[in-house]
Amino acid sequence: MTDAATSNALPPVVALRRRFHARPELGFLEYGIAAEAASTLTALGWTVQAGPEVMRREAMLGVPGAEAIAAARARALAEGADPAWIARMPDGMTGVVGTLDRGPGPVVALRFDIDALPIEEADALAHPPAAAGFGSAHPGRMHACGHDGHAAIGLEVARLLTAAEWSGKVLLIFQPAEEGGRGALPMVEAGVAAEATHFYAAHLGLGLPSGVVAAEARGFLGSAKIDAVFEGRAAHAGAAPQDGRHAILAAAHAVGALQALPRHGAELTQVNVGRIEGGSGRNVIPDRCRIEFEVRAETEPTLDALHARALAALEGAAALAGCAVRTELMGRTASFLSSPEAAARVARVAAAQGTEVRDVHHVGGGEDAAFFVRAAQARGGEAGYFILGADLADGHHSPRFDFDEAALVPGAALFAALALDALSGAPA
Amino acid sequence: MTDAATSNALPPVVALRRRFHARPELGFLEYGIAAEAASTLTALGWTVQAGPEVMRREAMLGVPGAEAIAAARARALAEGADPAWIARMPDGMTGVVGTLDRGPGPVVALRFDIDALPIEEADALAHPPAAAGFGSAHPGRMHACGHDGHAAIGLEVARLLTAAEWSGKVLLIFQPAEEGGRGALPMVEAGVAAEATHFYAAHLGLGLPSGVVAAEARGFLGSAKIDAVFEGRAAHAGAAPQDGRHAILAAAHAVGALQALPRHGAELTQVNVGRIEGGSGRNVIPDRCRIEFEVRAETEPTLDALHARALAALEGAAALAGCAVRTELMGRTASFLSSPEAAARVARVAAAQGTEVRDVHHVGGGEDAAFFVRAAQARGGEAGYFILGADLADGHHSPRFDFDEAALVPGAALFAALALDALSGAPA
Amino acid sequence: MTDAATSNALPPVVALRRRFHARPELGFLEYGIAAEAASTLTALGWTVQAGPEVMRREAMLGVPGAEAIAAARARALAEGADPAWIARMPDGMTGVVGTLDRGPGPVVALRFDIDALPIEEADALAHPPAAAGFGSAHPGRMHACGHDGHAAIGLEVARLLTAAEWSGKVLLIFQPAEEGGRGALPMVEAGVAAEATHFYAAHLGLGLPSGVVAAEARGFLGSAKIDAVFEGRAAHAGAAPQDGRHAILAAAHAVGALQALPRHGAELTQVNVGRIEGGSGRNVIPDRCRIEFEVRAETEPTLDALHARALAALEGAAALAGCAVRTELMGRTASFLSSPEAAARVARVAAAQGTEVRDVHHVGGGEDAAFFVRAAQARGGEAGYFILGADLADGHHSPRFDFDEAALVPGAALFAALALDALSGAPA
Amino acid sequence: MTDAATSNALPPVVALRRRFHARPELGFLEYGIAAEAASTLTALGWTVQAGPEVMRREAMLGVPGAEAIAAARARALAEGADPAWIARMPDGMTGVVGTLDRGPGPVVALRFDIDALPIEEADALAHPPAAAGFGSAHPGRMHACGHDGHAAIGLEVARLLTAAEWSGKVLLIFQPAEEGGRGALPMVEAGVAAEATHFYAAHLGLGLPSGVVAAEARGFLGSAKIDAVFEGRAAHAGAAPQDGRHAILAAAHAVGALQALPRHGAELTQVNVGRIEGGSGRNVIPDRCRIEFEVRAETEPTLDALHARALAALEGAAALAGCAVRTELMGRTASFLSSPEAAARVARVAAAQGTEVRDVHHVGGGEDAAFFVRAAQARGGEAGYFILGADLADGHHSPRFDFDEAALVPGAALFAALALDALSGAPA
């Protein structure tokens, strides 16, 4: 990281985002960013919980192996993380919750996701992070979705709310592993935000231009994330191919079958096989191939049906090539809708800040904030998800993704104002 | 490695084989075994050439990256290799040739291949190398084809021929990267064995039982080894899958198309996609997928036709999914037949040693000794490839592969006797 | 057809539907039903145009071959059609338009589609048409979508409007080949309904229960219907498969690729390969395979993109197997929305008849009435598409499809009342 | 058929071949040619058996439906067949055996196959049958393998042997349904040729040039012929594709899986999906798709293994798409080798006629004469299969296939001489 990334001339939230951007960490491996969040919140006087205090181990899906976790912890320590916080986050339990309790009043919970993606960031000078010297320093990892900005906003909100006057309680939730839909549920099941009367989360970008806020995001599909391993039988590919069972061929048919799962007549659905890896030597009939995929749907029954047909397709593809298949559910998100009150409050508060407001912005991904939103709504609370417009250099999850940093300062201001508005007891 | 592996009670060729077995190295990365061969030959008084002296760089296909080469060299040094020899083998040029010139007479070249496979060796106690303490100490690498035995025989032959009396010249060729068909051609093109009047190579096992020798191996197909990389376009799998171009889907169709390349009406052909790897995150339309495959055929025209149709299938599969594809030829072997004289000489010499001899043993793989055999035959020399029978624990290229070590001592004796017979000027 | 089908006890519109049901005719081959419509309208005093007078030949896609047309004409004649009308409908031009001009006033056009499907009708006694003796008498053909009911309603509306008093002009359009999206465009391009101030069409069933009317149908996707023929090279499958180019393998990859065409992040899309046929003998490498498919999308740009990617997938699949491919566009529909005025008028008129009314009913198919609706709206007219609820025995296009005939009498009454309301000059 | 086809200038065997060529009949439907053979043999004084007398019904696989059989009988009658013979060949039992018993001595059986293929014959003037006016008069049917020539030779042999002097017994077997490997086994199981001491069959062409005879054909693989029907569930492709189960998609995966069945390391194998047909309308999720395929192998164990894996692939492909599959074994051939005595006799007799003789000619197809050969050999008899060289216009099973008719006269002469040689008791 060059001086540019930590220039004093930058607003703190921007400098922070750049530091986070340069050190992307995959889900359940966000030791560096989580430790920094915990240290910062503590320094600001917030009560901080982390690791098993805020995550239920049994609800964690798709946890990386012990070796990957050990490496992530070591790297975070090498990059300056506080060993005390690292020690409190075993086994990939990288969730952090800061609480500031100032007496009677509403309980407002804000969620910020912190994980990055397994993408090799572009290093061309046309790519702003590379040009400005804060490109990823972690090979094969990239903040290509904007969670670096979310995390930076979260800590800026902590500063703003610490400095403001209010009564009630605020929870700032730094959630790991949003990608893959794995981090929210273990926190919800650990009781995080169980007393919240208000819950808000947001996303930068998503096609909404800089300077605009959408009071409500629609179209987040529910999803299931599944890994499958095909197991065949190795044999010499020249001398005895007839003795082999070709696991890559099985997986190839599975890829075709999954991508061709039936569309629905009235709902959006999605399928993606995002990873494949298999085989050993070129002249060995491959005895193993692994794929990682997800299915998405607007409603739970359709998601369940798609999930079931995906599993059946895997079984058929394995049988077709004389192989077996094992599957593992690695993550799951649900669909959700913002409370009308939440959307109204966001619209009112944002407009009061002079921001251009749209009622609804359609997005087509998945978001495990769903579990927080649904839990809050189930208890009668107000819960919403909004969009902070930010021009993009390229689409989310592209190696050339980047967002307009001008969205960060007003984004933090909106979150803070929203919390204060809710804490004031104002109706939506 | 336990004492068992270096027990004094073992014949030297067996002890040597066990040491080689414990330290398997992939093609063009055989720094440890090559340096040991060079050191041993030098100590026995042979003239040794290595690296660029015996390999033409331009003819090397499928060379590992600089990082892998550096790691292999470092490991060999750490395991005791002579730095002087390591220094003489840059850029994966791990070929070694020992020459003993004792004046006028025939020039006999013997070829021993030394590379291992990217296979994780079984560690169950039922697996003899594991039980006897000489299982692979290199994770994910294994001598699963018997080249450890070939290399050990080669050095034992050096000892036997050093001690014998004869006139003429002998070349002992320790060839890298036989797997993948990559190591022989660069040595042939560097002029190795260009003056040989007799050339012999052999393989252990291949279905022939212990105690039996086959005077001639038939059925080695010619092959082409090809890597292909499909390039699509990344996009968010939920928000904008229509903007992506799905490289894994392209590769899946390619796998199906390659495995379904037309059979031939009169010749054996083979196809195998042995490796696949692609994609990044589960929720990203994958923009890259790589496959590694090979095609084999009995004759050159059929191999060329199959090769051409494979490339066309790749192009079609890429186009089908809106992707592009790049291919690289990684290796090539040719089919060949032993000279009748060579087969006759092997049969006669082996029988004289009291060994049971079969005329022909059918094998179905590929063997780049083909280039040595063809070169020798083209110059009017006698060249042959025979089989040293050895009972197997499991098939070649299986994680449980192991061969009957009782084949090593007589195997070395046969090679030595064969060389002496040829050097004597005896007709086949 | 038994007496049951023509029982005097049945309302005329029901008896008519049963007669039509028993004689299903595919698109552009509806000589029997078209001739009956023309004869009936003429008898009622309407001016009737047919064939080239109401269809532009150049706009007809997917026209059956001359042999099929000749057979359909012959069968219609054999079943009693008026030869004069058959003669006026050459080359599959089976459209019929009846006009009743009663002077100044609005011009109201009503569209009724008349074609059947290539489905073998169930003949179990549990299937009402079979039980009541009016099952299909044309093997492999079936009114499995309800167009028999539409056509019967159309002629009943003619009777009702003939008997009513009004001023203005009414057009009753009997449109062929709605299945496949082929019949409407040639009529629109021939100028049919070019002067209409009001246009209405409707569909029975589609999931809406008996007794209910939906004032507006939403969700009709635009579509493209495409045929593709893969051409390879024949060869003896045992003696020389390497000389063949396997057209069925090419088509199989095309099927997989088409069904796996990328979903859209924000729009419903659909793909279906509905027919395949190829090859000759079992022991011949097949040199020809034909597929028939369609793609659908909510918007024209997405439909165009999907169409383009489908064609690219076909080219890739052909290349993959060394084949060529020819494609032909067989039909096309567009998406559309009812005019708000039309929906309001339907709702008001239906409610006035005592019918339960829903504002919107979502359907997921395609409907080439789109071309009439869009043409009317482009001229400033009021155009709408509504749903006549009818309980179903099984889904549309199933061999066991049947609808509740109780929907016919009120359906015709609604169409007639709607026309009279529009003719009266009443605002929507 | 023009005069050209029956020109008096042609040798009788050529004229006969042309008549047969113009009236091709599929397997088990060869009523015309079988009746003519029966009539001719009877007229020559041979004892003729037909239908159930020479075929075991239970062993008949792949018998056409009753409707097709009725149509074939009607056509044969219309084309002049003797009704008495037609009546003796019910249910597709179109086998005919002529016997001439002249007392003690060897029993010599000669086999001639008579069926045609479902191929539309080329009608270009460059195609000799079209040019000379004896192209197929049966649409979609063609003698594209030369069985018209075989049948003509068979009747010419009858004339030659009738006119010759010898002692012993001769059987002339006119076998239906060689294509598909269906006709021989029912005849063998009915006891045809059970007493034969000598059995011979031959094929025209197969790559051997005119004027040459190969004493032995090698490389006939054993085969299994299988039909599979995939059954899914129909649904409207736009409104409810999620309710469908796509039988064409299942079949597409099956095609890919079958064509990619593993090759064998040491044996030739073959696979071909030769036919596919499925679906109904374009906008209906297809609920049915049928494929017809075959697998071939050099040995029975390999054939059995390939057969089993093919069935497993079908089950997997069906499951992959939520469908079911039914399969039916439609035919089966075995591999075989000529008796060395038979090959020697053919070579000696052909050479004595002044013909150029090759010992062995490699062919790569299947041939159900295997069952006759194996049965004769199992009883200690001499049995062989030879090739009558004939230049070809295009490959067997091509629409432009034609063979050099100059091969017919010497072919019949060789068969007759061979029989006389065997009847004479001469050693091979």
Side-chain angles (χ1 to χ4, degrees):
Chain A
M1 198 158 41
T2 72
D3 290 346
T6 55
S7 162
N8 291 333
L10 294 171
V13 66
V14 174
L16 195 56
R17 178 260 166 165
R18 292 188 175 195
R19 209 162 54 191
F20 291 160
H21 188 87
R23 295 175 176 171
E25 298 165 308
L26 294 183
F28 294 137
L29 298 175
E30 311 92 331
Y31 282 94
I33 198 169
E36 174 149 357
S39 298
T40 302
L41 290 167
T42 302
L44 288 170
W46 294 57
T47 302
V48 176
Q49 293 175 291
E53 301 160 16
V54 295
M55 301 186 74
R56 182 164 168 266
R57 188 186 305 251
E58 293 72 17
M60 290 170 66
L61 297 172
V63 180
E67 200 170 339
I69 291 175
R73 297 175 76 148
R75 185 170 61 185
L77 290 169
E79 291 176 350
D82 181 342
W85 283 115
I86 300 295
R88 286 177 61 179
M89 300 187 286
D91 302 340
M93 305 180 94
T94 46
V96 169
V97 179
T99 304
L100 192 55
D101 187 345
R102 289 183 172 171
V107 179
V108 177
L110 309 179
R111 197 287 308 257
F112 306 95
D113 42 359
I114 63 177
D115 54 320
L117 286 156
I119 293 174
E120 182 75 34
E121 184 162 19
D123 59 2
L125 285 186
H127 182 55
F134 65 93
S136 170
H138 295 174
R141 306 291 179 256
M142 177 184 174
H143 270 296
C145 196
H147 298 189
D148 49 345
H150 299 175
I153 286 174
L155 292 183
E156 179 72 6
V157 169
R159 288 185 192 96
L160 295 171
L161 291 180
T162 303
E165 298 208 353
W166 44 273
S167 181
K169 190 193 282 195
V170 174
L171 285 77
L172 299 181
I173 303 166
F174 290 83
Q175 179 205 304
E178 191 281 325
E179 303 288 354
R182 297 167 292 159
L185 195 59
M187 300 191 87
V188 171
E189 294 204 357
V192 170
E195 53 181 342
T197 55
H198 299 73
F199 173 88
Y200 304 102
H203 208 296
L204 287 158
L206 294 178
L208 197 68
S210 291
V212 183
V213 160
E216 178 183 355
R218 287 248 180 97
F220 282 127
L221 306 183
S223 71
K225 327 281 185 180
I226 300 162
D227 284 2
V229 178
F230 292 89
E231 292 175 335
R233 190 192 304 162
H236 191 285
Q242 72 277 10
D243 292 340
R245 299 295 181 269
H246 205 292
I248 291 179
L249 184 63
H253 277 273
V255 168
L258 290 171
Q259 296 293 142
L261 280 172
R263 287 157 160 89
H264 191 278
E267 273 183 52
L268 285 176
T269 58
Q270 301 295 346
V271 183
N272 188 48
V273 180
R275 275 285 300 161
I276 191 168
E277 187 276 323
S280 53
R282 188 192 309 275
N283 59 351
V284 183
I285 303 294
D287 64 353
R288 201 196 58 83
C289 191
R290 171 195 188 83
I291 60 172
E292 303 177 16
F293 71 98
E294 61 177 11
V295 293
R296 306 179 187 228
E298 288 187 39
T299 66
E300 293 294 300
T302 298
L303 179 58
D304 289 344
L306 206 54
H307 189 162
R309 292 187 71 165
L311 297 183
L314 296 176
E315 291 289 347
L320 172 152
C323 297
V325 65
R326 289 180 294 107
T327 62
E328 186 177 358
L329 181 64
M330 301 300 286
R332 177 135 181 152
T333 61
S335 55
F336 67 96
L337 289 175
S338 288
S339 312
E341 298 80 11
R345 189 181 305 276
V346 171
R348 180 169 49 74
V349 171
Q353 292 188 319
T355 305
E356 178 184 338
V357 176
R358 294 190 192 164
D359 285 348
V360 171
H361 184 63
H362 179 92
V363 295
E367 171 57 82
D368 67 359
F371 295 108
F372 283 109
V373 170
R374 289 181 159 210
Q377 291 173 340
R379 290 188 314 269
E382 173 186 318
Y385 195 99
F386 57 99
I387 308 293
L388 297 167
D391 295 337
L392 303 181
D394 201 359
H396 292 264
H397 295 197
S398 157
R400 290 171 302 281
F401 172 82
D402 191 38
F403 65 85
D404 178 5
E405 290 175 332
L408 293 171
V409 168
L414 174 55
F415 259 112
L418 189 62
L420 294 174
D421 188 79
L423 289 164
S424 74
Chain B
M1 198 157 42
T2 72
D3 290 345
T6 55
S7 162
N8 291 332
L10 294 171
V13 66
V14 174
L16 195 55
R17 178 260 167 165
R18 292 189 175 197
R19 208 164 54 196
F20 291 159
H21 188 88
R23 295 175 176 173
E25 298 165 309
L26 295 183
F28 293 137
L29 298 176
E30 311 93 332
Y31 282 94
I33 198 168
E36 173 149 357
S39 297
T40 302
L41 291 166
T42 302
L44 288 170
W46 294 56
T47 302
V48 177
Q49 293 174 290
E53 300 159 18
V54 296
M55 302 186 74
R56 183 166 168 265
R57 187 187 306 252
E58 293 72 17
M60 291 170 66
L61 297 173
V63 181
E67 201 171 338
I69 292 174
R73 297 174 78 151
R75 185 169 64 186
L77 290 169
E79 291 177 351
D82 180 342
W85 285 115
I86 300 296
R88 286 177 60 181
M89 300 187 285
D91 302 339
M93 304 180 93
T94 46
V96 170
V97 179
T99 304
L100 192 55
D101 187 347
R102 289 183 171 171
V107 180
V108 177
L110 308 179
R111 198 286 311 254
F112 306 95
D113 42 0
I114 62 177
D115 55 320
L117 286 157
I119 293 175
E120 181 75 35
E121 183 162 19
D123 59 3
L125 285 186
H127 182 55
F134 65 92
S136 171
H138 295 173
R141 305 290 178 258
M142 176 182 175
H143 269 296
C145 196
H147 299 187
D148 48 346
H150 298 173
I153 286 175
L155 291 182
E156 179 71 6
V157 169
R159 288 185 192 97
L160 294 171
L161 291 181
T162 303
E165 299 207 353
W166 44 273
S167 180
K169 190 193 282 194
V170 174
L171 285 77
L172 299 181
I173 303 166
F174 291 82
Q175 179 204 306
E178 191 282 324
E179 304 287 353
R182 296 168 293 158
L185 194 58
M187 299 190 86
V188 170
E189 294 204 356
V192 170
E195 54 181 342
T197 56
H198 299 73
F199 173 88
Y200 304 102
H203 208 294
L204 288 157
L206 293 178
L208 197 69
S210 291
V212 183
V213 160
E216 177 184 356
R218 287 250 180 98
F220 283 126
L221 306 183
S223 70
K225 326 281 185 179
I226 300 161
D227 284 2
V229 177
F230 292 89
E231 292 175 335
R233 190 193 303 163
H236 191 285
Q242 72 277 11
D243 292 340
R245 296 296 181 270
H246 204 292
I248 291 178
L249 183 64
H253 277 273
V255 168
L258 290 171
Q259 296 293 143
L261 280 172
R263 286 156 159 90
H264 192 277
E267 273 184 51
L268 286 177
T269 58
Q270 301 294 348
V271 183
N272 188 49
V273 180
R275 275 284 301 160
I276 192 169
E277 186 276 324
S280 52
R282 188 192 309 275
N283 59 352
V284 183
I285 303 295
D287 64 353
R288 203 196 58 82
C289 190
R290 172 194 187 85
I291 62 172
E292 303 177 16
F293 71 97
E294 61 178 11
V295 294
R296 304 179 188 229
E298 289 187 39
T299 66
E300 293 294 301
T302 298
L303 180 58
D304 289 344
L306 206 54
H307 189 162
R309 292 186 72 165
L311 297 184
L314 296 175
E315 291 289 346
L320 171 154
C323 297
V325 65
R326 288 180 296 108
T327 62
E328 186 177 358
L329 182 63
M330 302 300 285
R332 177 134 182 151
T333 61
S335 55
F336 66 96
L337 289 174
S338 289
S339 312
E341 299 79 11
R345 189 183 304 274
V346 171
R348 179 167 51 72
V349 172
Q353 292 188 318
T355 306
E356 178 185 340
V357 176
R358 295 190 193 165
D359 285 349
V360 171
H361 185 63
H362 179 92
V363 296
E367 170 58 81
D368 66 359
F371 295 108
F372 284 109
V373 170
R374 288 180 160 210
Q377 291 173 340
R379 289 187 314 266
E382 172 187 319
Y385 195 99
F386 57 100
I387 309 292
L388 298 167
D391 295 336
L392 303 181
D394 201 359
H396 291 265
H397 295 197
S398 157
R400 291 171 301 282
F401 171 82
D402 192 38
F403 64 85
D404 178 6
E405 290 175 332
L408 293 171
V409 168
L414 175 54
F415 258 112
L418 190 61
L420 293 173
D421 188 79
L423 290 164
S424 75
Chain C
M1 198 158 39
T2 70
D3 289 346
T6 54
S7 161
N8 292 333
L10 294 172
V13 67
V14 173
L16 194 56
R17 177 260 168 164
R18 293 188 175 197
R19 207 163 54 192
F20 291 160
H21 187 87
R23 295 175 176 173
E25 298 165 309
L26 294 183
F28 293 137
L29 299 175
E30 312 93 330
Y31 282 95
I33 198 168
E36 173 148 357
S39 297
T40 303
L41 289 166
T42 302
L44 288 169
W46 294 56
T47 302
V48 177
Q49 292 174 292
E53 300 160 16
V54 295
M55 302 186 73
R56 183 164 168 266
R57 186 186 306 251
E58 293 72 17
M60 290 171 66
L61 297 172
V63 181
E67 202 170 336
I69 292 174
R73 298 175 77 149
R75 184 170 63 186
L77 290 168
E79 291 177 351
D82 180 342
W85 284 115
I86 299 296
R88 285 177 60 180
M89 300 186 286
D91 302 339
M93 305 180 94
T94 46
V96 169
V97 179
T99 304
L100 192 55
D101 188 346
R102 287 182 174 173
V107 180
V108 177
L110 308 179
R111 198 284 313 253
F112 306 95
D113 42 359
I114 62 177
D115 54 321
L117 286 156
I119 294 174
E120 182 75 35
E121 184 162 18
D123 59 2
L125 285 186
H127 182 57
F134 65 93
S136 171
H138 295 172
R141 305 291 178 256
M142 177 183 175
H143 269 295
C145 196
H147 298 187
D148 50 344
H150 298 174
I153 286 175
L155 292 182
E156 179 71 7
V157 169
R159 289 186 192 95
L160 294 171
L161 290 180
T162 304
E165 299 207 353
W166 44 273
S167 180
K169 189 193 282 193
V170 173
L171 285 77
L172 299 180
I173 303 165
F174 292 82
Q175 179 206 305
E178 191 282 324
E179 303 288 353
R182 296 168 293 158
L185 194 58
M187 300 190 85
V188 170
E189 295 204 355
V192 169
E195 54 180 342
T197 56
H198 299 72
F199 173 87
Y200 304 102
H203 208 295
L204 287 158
L206 293 178
L208 197 69
S210 292
V212 183
V213 160
E216 178 183 355
R218 287 249 180 96
F220 283 126
L221 305 183
S223 70
K225 328 279 185 180
I226 301 161
D227 284 2
V229 178
F230 292 89
E231 292 175 334
R233 190 194 302 163
H236 191 285
Q242 72 275 12
D243 292 340
R245 297 295 180 272
H246 204 292
I248 290 178
L249 183 63
H253 277 273
V255 168
L258 290 170
Q259 296 294 142
L261 280 172
R263 287 155 159 90
H264 192 278
E267 274 184 50
L268 286 177
T269 58
Q270 302 294 347
V271 183
N272 188 49
V273 180
R275 277 283 301 163
I276 192 168
E277 186 275 324
S280 53
R282 186 192 312 275
N283 59 353
V284 183
I285 303 294
D287 65 352
R288 202 195 59 83
C289 190
R290 173 195 186 84
I291 61 173
E292 303 177 16
F293 71 98
E294 60 178 11
V295 293
R296 303 179 188 229
E298 288 187 39
T299 66
E300 293 294 301
T302 299
L303 180 58
D304 289 344
L306 206 54
H307 189 162
R309 290 186 73 165
L311 297 184
L314 297 175
E315 291 289 345
L320 173 154
C323 297
V325 64
R326 288 179 296 108
T327 61
E328 186 177 358
L329 180 64
M330 301 301 285
R332 178 137 182 151
T333 61
S335 55
F336 66 96
L337 290 174
S338 288
S339 312
E341 299 79 12
R345 189 182 305 276
V346 171
R348 179 168 51 72
V349 171
Q353 292 188 322
T355 304
E356 178 185 339
V357 177
R358 295 191 192 165
D359 284 349
V360 171
H361 185 62
H362 181 92
V363 296
E367 170 59 81
D368 68 357
F371 296 108
F372 283 111
V373 170
R374 288 181 159 211
Q377 291 172 340
R379 290 187 315 267
E382 172 187 317
Y385 195 99
F386 56 100
I387 309 292
L388 298 166
D391 296 336
L392 303 181
D394 201 359
H396 292 266
H397 294 197
S398 157
R400 291 170 303 281
F401 171 82
D402 192 37
F403 65 85
D404 178 6
E405 290 175 331
L408 293 171
V409 169
L414 175 55
F415 258 112
L418 189 62
L420 293 173
D421 188 79
L423 290 164
S424 75
Chain D
M1 198 158 44
T2 71
D3 290 346
T6 54
S7 162
N8 291 332
L10 294 171
V13 67
V14 174
L16 194 55
R17 178 260 167 164
R18 293 188 174 195
R19 210 162 53 188
F20 291 160
H21 188 88
R23 295 175 176 173
E25 297 165 309
L26 294 183
F28 294 138
L29 299 175
E30 311 92 331
Y31 282 95
I33 197 168
E36 173 148 357
S39 297
T40 302
L41 290 166
T42 303
L44 288 169
W46 294 57
T47 302
V48 177
Q49 292 175 291
E53 301 160 15
V54 296
M55 301 186 73
R56 183 165 168 265
R57 188 187 305 251
E58 292 73 17
M60 291 170 67
L61 296 172
V63 181
E67 200 169 339
I69 292 174
R73 298 175 76 149
R75 185 170 63 187
L77 290 168
E79 291 177 349
D82 181 341
W85 283 115
I86 300 296
R88 285 177 61 179
M89 300 186 285
D91 302 338
M93 306 180 93
T94 46
V96 169
V97 179
T99 304
L100 192 56
D101 188 346
R102 287 183 173 171
V107 179
V108 177
L110 308 178
R111 198 285 311 254
F112 307 95
D113 42 359
I114 63 177
D115 54 320
L117 287 156
I119 293 174
E120 182 74 34
E121 184 162 18
D123 59 2
L125 284 186
H127 182 56
F134 64 93
S136 170
H138 295 173
R141 306 291 179 257
M142 176 183 175
H143 269 296
C145 196
H147 298 188
D148 48 345
H150 299 175
I153 286 174
L155 292 183
E156 179 71 8
V157 170
R159 288 184 193 97
L160 294 171
L161 291 180
T162 304
E165 299 210 350
W166 44 272
S167 180
K169 190 193 283 196
V170 174
L171 285 76
L172 299 181
I173 303 165
F174 292 82
Q175 179 206 303
E178 191 281 324
E179 303 287 354
R182 296 168 293 158
L185 194 60
M187 300 190 85
V188 170
E189 294 204 357
V192 169
E195 55 180 341
T197 56
H198 299 72
F199 172 87
Y200 304 102
H203 208 294
L204 287 158
L206 294 179
L208 197 69
S210 291
V212 183
V213 160
E216 177 183 356
R218 287 250 179 96
F220 282 127
L221 306 183
S223 70
K225 326 280 187 181
I226 300 161
D227 284 2
V229 178
F230 293 89
E231 291 175 336
R233 190 193 304 161
H236 191 285
Q242 72 276 13
D243 292 340
R245 297 296 181 270
H246 204 292
I248 290 178
L249 184 63
H253 277 273
V255 168
L258 291 170
Q259 296 292 142
L261 279 172
R263 287 156 159 89
H264 191 278
E267 273 184 50
L268 285 177
T269 58
Q270 302 294 348
V271 183
N272 188 49
V273 180
R275 275 284 301 163
I276 190 167
E277 187 275 323
S280 52
R282 188 192 309 274
N283 59 351
V284 184
I285 302 294
D287 65 354
R288 201 195 59 82
C289 190
R290 172 194 187 84
I291 61 173
E292 303 177 17
F293 70 98
E294 61 178 11
V295 293
R296 304 179 188 229
E298 288 187 38
T299 66
E300 292 295 300
T302 298
L303 180 58
D304 289 344
L306 206 53
H307 189 163
R309 291 186 71 164
L311 297 184
L314 297 175
E315 292 289 345
L320 173 153
C323 297
V325 64
R326 289 180 295 107
T327 62
E328 186 176 359
L329 181 64
M330 301 300 287
R332 178 135 181 150
T333 61
S335 55
F336 66 96
L337 290 175
S338 288
S339 312
E341 298 80 11
R345 189 183 304 275
V346 171
R348 180 170 48 75
V349 172
Q353 292 188 319
T355 306
E356 177 185 339
V357 177
R358 295 190 193 165
D359 285 348
V360 171
H361 185 62
H362 180 92
V363 296
E367 171 56 82
D368 68 359
F371 296 108
F372 284 110
V373 170
R374 288 180 161 212
Q377 291 172 340
R379 290 188 312 269
E382 172 187 318
Y385 194 99
F386 57 99
I387 308 293
L388 298 167
D391 295 336
L392 302 181
D394 201 359
H396 292 264
H397 293 197
S398 157
R400 291 170 301 281
F401 171 83
D402 192 38
F403 65 85
D404 178 5
E405 290 175 331
L408 293 172
V409 169
L414 174 55
F415 259 112
L418 189 62
L420 293 174
D421 188 79
L423 289 164
S424 75

